[in-house]
């Protein structure tokens, strides 16, 4: 009889026998005790050994089959699936000379922000590029706002996925979120200098969340914005702090649906108050809706942009999380206000859109064919499962808080003791596991008191790699694990 | 006997009989007197009619065949080739709702700056994209400076085409020239603020040529540069004007090989003096080498970057002219000076490279396969021929000067009388022919006295369309054509 690890069943407990079998076989597979490609016992044999009905084992096998851990072929024994990438725990990470030249999957890189492309249909991907390359080769640059075909598809996606009422004419194609933010800062400066705004200060003042998205703050500062960091609370950006500012900023960058990185969510009431504040102070709101496609708990709240009746929310988003950052593709949605649109397009005229027409054509095709929608649906299920692995491994432990798991692709493991956090991150690096330091997400005068902990992504790695990494994270963050 | 227009031969003149036959048949085809697909007389019949040896006609037909005007098929009469695109003079230009959605070829758009993609092998193009799309889909962004494969190919191209000693590590991939210039301005600001430069002024001062490249000045200004326009002379940027500046700029943007748009060329001596000036004033030189691959008269002079022993020339270039602006792909070459490199890479870190990894992989493949090299060679011959059509039609006419034709893709028809220039451009627009106004290339206090005339591209249109457009340009710029 093929090898199976010992299975311990508790009769009369809260979990059914088949659920217990599923849980124990799954973790054996993830831990490598049952190896890829090996056959598992027949349902009859295992049922006999465990003293349970054959139906319980069949049910368990069917579930594991559905989850992709087992493979059944007609007339052949059921086997452990050959899991792609990262089944083995890598030796200490190879130096990544160039990001993108190799897969983070191979090095147990849990740096947050990277998606899984495993579920993206290779056939749809290659077909989209083939179609885009088959067009007669245009001799001009792509249109200022992006191709009509892509903008139509993006607007369609946003209406369906986020309930944002927008049309192709509202969309500006960008090379991702940083490029979109650069465009918005320059547009804000254009707006202020053109006298349509309240003053003609050259450097726009932008309020940002802290902890926040370091890449966003770097892009804003690089374009000359002066940042006002506002410490977020459990629900995200606190309105009281915005109100308390003596000089209101000319814009605020906010992640209302899943505060980055802590995961807070602005209530509808807070959203309406934020819109009201912006109207009264004549500020722009930059809404970064970076991962709303992956909501794991409850429905997503409406985007700020969909509540905005005053035309002052610029929504930015990208395909980095729903497809891959390799594409360098994103968008912004211009609000109705003519002054905002004029400013954005004036900047675009001077700094032409950087996205290749071939990329735009291929992306439009991927969206139109339904490949993106199907990829998001499949990936959402994968991420939901990995999220449950994170919760299983790390929730409810002393002196730690686990957060940001209601949606998205990353988790935050807060640690009360900053020294312990630093030691844990170093120890993980020594073990070849890369995570981010929560304190690197904080800026401003309060940064010294910023919350400490680990930020890690669970999307770009395989289940197996994740489970092993979680084992290490668990070990190095145990209260007595490291000095601190 | 098939129709041929009257052919007048001058015996004993400087041109051979066959050369005279070639010239007259070619212009009949271009003018549409002989129509696409129609058969031409047999060499025997035409020789008889003209009273020349049959050999003269055979030689003429062979040349026209080689130039693509005639097509010979074994056993069938020789015919006029079916010329692609734009044979017919369009009615007044259709509004281009979105540039790039249709071909300028169809509207007799002679706006300068657009290349021909006709000679680019469709097979090589689609194969390159197929290869780029066939890779496993990476989950990360492309490397900071661009993929190693593309940077290696770009460095190779620059060494061979421009004699610039550079390696992959010197290259930064950009989304074209505007994006490269934006990167350089931000890097210059970073450099000045970091205190490595001579002061910490926030807005860098950049000297630019006038007339100059409007897209470049727009990009520089949008990023906050203060521009100092310097009027160019016949040879390009005059050193005396640079020396005369009381406060030297922190950078100078220069097109030394083919001043844009007037076509002047800095001598090697002037180049060395410019480098010396930059060394003494601690300025950066931004060399825009936008069309050196298409030198029609004499060999190109060495790039400034190849003469630079002091590490202060940033060379920018793009694939917009050698392939297509649809790609949105360019590069900059960092000089050896560590402070410049540090500043460029610091900006790139904050504003990640906008070029899709798929575009980079496809472009690397196009370069590696030799498709780009072959395309440049074939296109250079096409452009040289079109250039001769421009010279034939417009040189040596009273009160006009024809320039910029030593290289590149465009010509400048200077008109002494600015009012006549304005009237000519309007009249051309009414006839459905788009050209640019030379005065739109001038900036600064001297712009009112800037030279007047027409700037037009001859690359993106077919020979036939070009000849017809030249007829119209000739007509509307004749001394007695329009009031002014």
């Amino acid at each position: 009889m093929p090898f199976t690890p010992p299975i311990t069943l508790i009769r009369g407990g809260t979990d059914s026998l088949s659920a217990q079998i599923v849980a124990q076989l799954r973790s054996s597979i993830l831990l490598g005790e049952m190896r890829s490609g090996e056959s598992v016992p027949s349902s009859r044999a295992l049922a006999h050994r465990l003293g349970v009905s054959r139906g319980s084992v069949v049910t368990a096998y069917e579930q594991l089959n559905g989850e992709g851990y087992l493979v059944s072929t007609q007339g052949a024994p059921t086997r452990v699936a050959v899991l792609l990438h990262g089944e083995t725990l890598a030796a200490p990470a190879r130096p990544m000379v160039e990001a993108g030249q190799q897969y983070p999957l191979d090095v147990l890189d849990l740096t947050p922000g990277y998606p899984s492309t495993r579920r993206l249909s290779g056939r749809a991907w290659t077909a989209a590029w083939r179609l885009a390359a088959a067009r007669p080769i245009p001799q001009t640059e792509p249109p200022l706002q992006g191709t009509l075909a892509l903008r139509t598809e993006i607007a369609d996606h946003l209406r369906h996925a986020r309930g944002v009422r927008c049309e192709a004419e509202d969309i500006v194609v960008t090379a991702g979120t940083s490029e979109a933010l650069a465009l918005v800062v320059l547009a804000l400066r254009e707006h202020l200098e053109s006298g349509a705004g309240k003053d003609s200060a050259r450097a726009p003042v932008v309020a940002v969340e802290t902890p926040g998205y370091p890449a966003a703050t770097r892009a804003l500062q690089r374009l000359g914005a002066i940042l006002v960091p506002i410490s977020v609370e459990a629900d995200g950006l606190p309105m009281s702090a915005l109100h308390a500012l003596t000089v209101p900023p000319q814009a605020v960058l906010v992640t209302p649906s899943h505060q980055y990185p802590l995961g807070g969510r602005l209530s509808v009431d807070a959203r309406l108050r934020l819109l009201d504040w912006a109207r009264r102070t004549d500020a722009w709101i930059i809404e970064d809706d970076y991962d709303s496609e992956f909501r794991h708990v409850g429905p997503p709240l409406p985007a700020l942009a969909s509540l905005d009746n005053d035309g002052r929310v610029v929504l930015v988003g990208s395909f980095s999380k729903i497809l891959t950052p390799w594409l360098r593709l994103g968008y912004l949605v211009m609000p109705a206000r003519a002054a905002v649109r004029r400013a954005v397009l004036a900047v675009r005229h001077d700094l032409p859109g950087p996205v290749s027409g071939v990329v735009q054509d291929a992306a439009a095709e991927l969206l139109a064919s339904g490949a993106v929608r199907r990829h998001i649906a499949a990936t959402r299920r994968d991420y939901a499962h990995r999220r449950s692995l994170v919760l299983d491994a790390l929730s409810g432990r002393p002196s730690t808080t686990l957060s940001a798991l209601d949606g998205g692709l990353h988790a935050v493991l807060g640690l009360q003791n900053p020294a312990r956090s630093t030691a844990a991150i170093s120890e993980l690096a020594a073990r070849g596991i890369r995570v981010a330091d929560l304190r690197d997400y904080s800026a401003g005068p309060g940064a010294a008191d910023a919350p400490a902990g680990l930020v890690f992504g669970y999307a770009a790695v395989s289940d197996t790699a994740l489970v092993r990494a979680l084992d290490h994270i668990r070990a190095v963050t145990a209260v007595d694990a490291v000095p601190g």
Side-chain angles (χ1 to χ4, degrees), chain A:
Chain A
M1 177 166 143
F3 168 79
T4 43
I7 291 177
T8 312
L9 299 177
I10 298 169
R11 281 156 208 274
T14 51
D15 287 349
S16 70
L17 292 174
S18 71
Q20 295 178 55
I21 297 170
V22 164
Q24 292 180 57
L25 287 181
R26 191 200 280 132
S27 75
S28 293
I29 293 169
L30 290 173
L31 290 169
E33 294 168 1
M34 293 171 72
R35 300 172 66 106
S36 290
E38 280 181 357
S39 60
V40 298
S42 71
S43 54
R44 187 183 308 270
L46 186 59
H48 179 75
R49 200 181 82 190
L50 298 176
V52 300
S53 75
R54 190 181 161 207
S56 295
V57 178
V58 168
T59 303
Y61 278 12
E62 277 172 356
Q63 184 175 339
L64 288 167
N65 207 296
E67 291 178 1
Y69 290 92
L70 295 181
V71 176
S72 304
T73 318
Q74 186 70 33
T78 296
R79 294 178 179 280
V80 176
V82 177
L83 300 178
L84 294 171
H85 308 301
E87 290 106 341
T88 55
L89 179 58
R94 283 179 258 151
M96 282 184 76
V97 176
E98 295 200 324
Q101 293 300 91
Q102 57 189 46
Y103 295 83
L105 297 179
D106 296 327
V107 298
L108 269 186
D109 189 343
L110 268 57
T111 304
Y114 296 104
S116 167
T117 56
R118 219 187 84 201
R119 296 282 193 175
L120 187 57
S121 154
R123 201 182 308 170
W125 175 263
T126 52
W129 290 101
R130 191 170 54 238
L131 271 165
R135 292 188 52 189
I137 307 168
Q139 301 183 161
T140 60
E141 58 284 297
L144 204 66
Q145 287 181 237
T147 66
L148 183 59
L150 177 57
R151 289 186 288 115
T152 303
E153 294 298 335
I154 290 173
D156 206 50
H157 171 77
L158 289 173
R159 279 197 306 271
H160 289 100
R162 295 296 292 128
V164 176
R165 293 180 310 273
C166 60
E167 303 293 337
E169 69 200 48
D170 306 320
I171 307 289
V172 178
V173 172
T174 71
T177 300
S178 292
E179 204 265 317
L181 293 175
L183 175 54
V184 176
V185 173
L186 292 173
L188 185 56
R189 186 191 274 183
E190 161 77 24
H191 177 66
L192 297 173
E193 285 174 6
S194 74
K198 56 199 152 194
D199 60 50
S200 63
R202 197 160 172 86
V205 178
V206 181
V208 296
E209 301 166 332
T210 184
Y213 183 35
T217 50
R218 287 202 306 268
L220 296 174
Q221 282 183 306
R222 190 51 83 179
L223 272 307
I226 295 169
L227 302 188
V228 180
I230 294 181
S231 293
V232 298
E233 299 181 350
D235 298 335
L237 188 76
M239 283 308 301
S240 55
L242 260 188
H243 286 299
L245 296 173
T246 46
V247 179
Q250 286 129 359
V252 56
L253 170 65
V254 62
T255 50
S257 300
H258 192 225
Q259 198 277 327
Y260 193 80
L262 293 183
R265 178 157 86 140
L266 279 192
S267 66
V268 172
D269 180 58
R271 286 167 198 240
L272 294 173
R273 282 188 294 131
L274 179 58
L275 288 164
D276 185 56
W277 168 85
R279 183 164 46 239
R280 282 185 293 102
T281 61
D282 194 23
W284 292 12
I285 295 174
I286 312 167
E287 177 178 21
D288 183 1
D289 197 44
Y290 68 102
D291 69 358
S292 288
E293 285 85 356
F294 302 109
R295 186 85 208 160
H296 305 310
V297 177
L301 288 176
L304 273 172
S306 70
L307 299 171
D308 172 27
N309 294 318
D310 196 41
R312 49 180 72 254
V313 176
V314 180
L315 177 67
V316 304
S318 88
F319 288 90
S320 293
K321 306 241 176 345
I322 62 179
L323 285 171
T324 165
W326 188 250
L327 257 194
R328 302 276 80 203
L329 185 65
Y331 52 85
L332 65 78
V333 185
M334 296 187 289
R337 189 169 284 267
V340 181
R341 299 172 85 98
R342 204 160 37 227
V344 168
L345 296 178
V347 175
R348 214 38 153 186
H349 178 251
D350 293 349
L351 296 170
V355 180
S356 169
V358 184
V359 172
Q360 298 192 47
D361 285 344
E365 176 59 27
L366 279 172
L367 285 159
S369 70
V372 173
R373 192 169 29 78
R374 285 190 297 275
H375 173 64
I376 291 173
T379 305
R380 191 188 289 129
R381 287 193 294 274
D382 286 350
Y383 294 173
H385 176 57
R386 284 184 206 148
R387 168 184 178 272
S388 72
L389 297 175
V390 175
L391 282 168
D392 288 352
L394 299 177
S395 60
R397 298 165 65 235
S399 306
T400 65
T401 53
L402 187 62
S403 56
L405 282 161
D406 286 355
L409 298 70
H410 77 278
V412 176
L413 184 67
L415 295 173
Q416 281 168 13
N417 183 332
R420 203 171 126 224
S421 173
T422 307
I425 291 165
S426 303
E427 175 58 24
L428 284 172
R431 298 183 185 197
I433 295 167
R434 235 180 278 168
V435 300
D437 187 336
L438 178 56
R439 278 177 303 175
D440 290 342
Y441 293 70
S442 291
D449 305 323
L454 284 54
V455 186
F456 61 93
Y458 52 82
V461 289
S462 69
D463 286 9
T464 344
L466 178 61
V467 165
R468 298 191 181 192
L470 289 170
D471 259 3
H472 288 284
I473 291 173
R474 213 181 138 79
V476 303
T477 57
V479 174
D480 52 359
V482 284

